[in-house]
Each structure stands twice: as C-alpha cells, then as structure tokens.
Amino acid sequence: MAASKSYRNRFLKNKPFCNSFLSDGRKQELQEQISQKQAILQQLPQLLDEGILDEETLGLRQYHLNAEISQCQSQLAELTPVNLQETAKTISIPQFWWDLTETERRFYFREFVRQIYIVRQGDAWQVQVDFSFRND
C-alpha cells in the first residue's frame, strides 16, 4: 500500500481530487463564489468589534454564509468530467486505483461505467464492462 500511496501522491500532487477533469468555467465560478463568501466570513468579526453587527446578526450571517459555501461545494463536487480521453488514460493506470477509498471507486464506476455484462460460455465466465467514453 505504501508504494501505491506515494505513486498517487506524486500523480495527484498539487491537484485536488478530479480537479483536472471538471468543467473549467463552472468550476471557476463556484470557486470564486466560495472565496468571496469566505472573505466576507473573515470580515464579520471586525464588523462586530466596530459595532456594526450585534452578536445575533453575526451568528445568523455566519450561518447563512456557511450554508451558501456548503451549497457551492456540493455543486462543485457534482460537476461531471469533460475531458474523457484524459480521464480514460488516468483510470487505466492500475496504481491509480490502489489507494482510492471505496467512495472514490464508486464515484468512478457510477460516472464512467455504462453497463456491466456477465457472459457465460459453457463453464467459462467473463465480465465485460461497457464504459461511457467508448465509441464502439
């Protein structure tokens, strides 16, 4: 496991999970919204100190901003990959799979597997996987 973890760390270094596969325009928009809301959150204590906000208003504003940030993060997590050729190359590397959690594996299977066939010919059994990015 240690070898696979170091491979994955080198492979995904400086890249959040699936970062290179997401739709750049929408992704950037959501990240900007998150950054703006986080900046506002950081300014709220100063507004309390200056007497502009009271404790109750501060708490409500923090709650609403955190909810909005969470919503943006959920939308960001739901974006689908756009560069399927790159994704196909990446997921075809066995080392990539070794250190994934079960949740991450399920994500890839739900996202890219169109259908799984179990074919029986006499005593022989075969599993065939139909990926969504295959053209045939």
Side-chain angles (χ1 to χ4, degrees):
M1 251 336 166
S4 66
K5 190 169 193 165
S6 67
Y7 173 82
R8 183 170 184 237
N9 289 340
R10 281 192 319 266
F11 182 76
L12 296 175
K13 189 174 185 178
N14 299 324
K15 296 178 187 174
F17 182 67
C18 291
N19 187 37
S20 62
F21 307 133
L22 299 175
S23 169
D24 288 339
R26 181 69 177 138
K27 180 182 134 198
Q28 185 175 3
E29 177 186 328
L30 288 169
Q31 287 174 334
E32 286 174 8
Q33 288 178 15
I34 291 169
S35 294
Q36 289 170 353
K37 291 174 191 323
Q38 288 172 337
I40 294 170
L41 270 174
Q42 291 174 353
Q43 294 172 359
L44 290 179
Q46 181 182 356
L47 297 175
L48 178 66
D49 293 341
E50 293 174 2
I52 297 172
L53 296 177
D54 62 6
E55 288 284 337
E56 185 178 349
T57 306
L58 174 74
L60 285 171
R61 189 67 182 133
Q62 287 174 328
Y63 176 80
H64 286 288
L65 284 168
N66 284 323
E68 291 171 9
I69 289 170
S70 178
Q71 204 172 33
C72 288
Q73 289 171 335
S74 293
Q75 290 174 10
L76 189 61
E78 291 174 3
L79 290 176
T80 56
V82 293
N83 188 347
L84 292 178
Q85 291 299 331
E86 172 124 357
T87 303
K89 289 177 188 175
T90 302
I91 65 173
S92 66
I93 301 170
Q95 292 90 342
F96 178 79
W97 294 93
W98 290 350
D99 195 40
L100 294 179
T101 65
E102 280 301 311
T103 304
E104 292 168 330
R105 286 187 194 118
R106 284 193 300 270
F107 165 79
Y108 277 106
F109 284 123
R110 278 194 308 268
E111 200 66 33
F112 304 115
V113 174
R114 184 180 303 146
Q115 192 161 4
I116 298 174
Y117 301 97
I118 299 176
V119 180
R120 181 177 178 195
Q121 295 175 343
D123 289 337
W125 293 75
Q126 285 187 325
V127 176
Q128 295 177 351
V129 181
D130 186 12
F131 290 98
S132 59
F133 48 80
R134 283 186 57 190
N135 292 330
D136 44 275

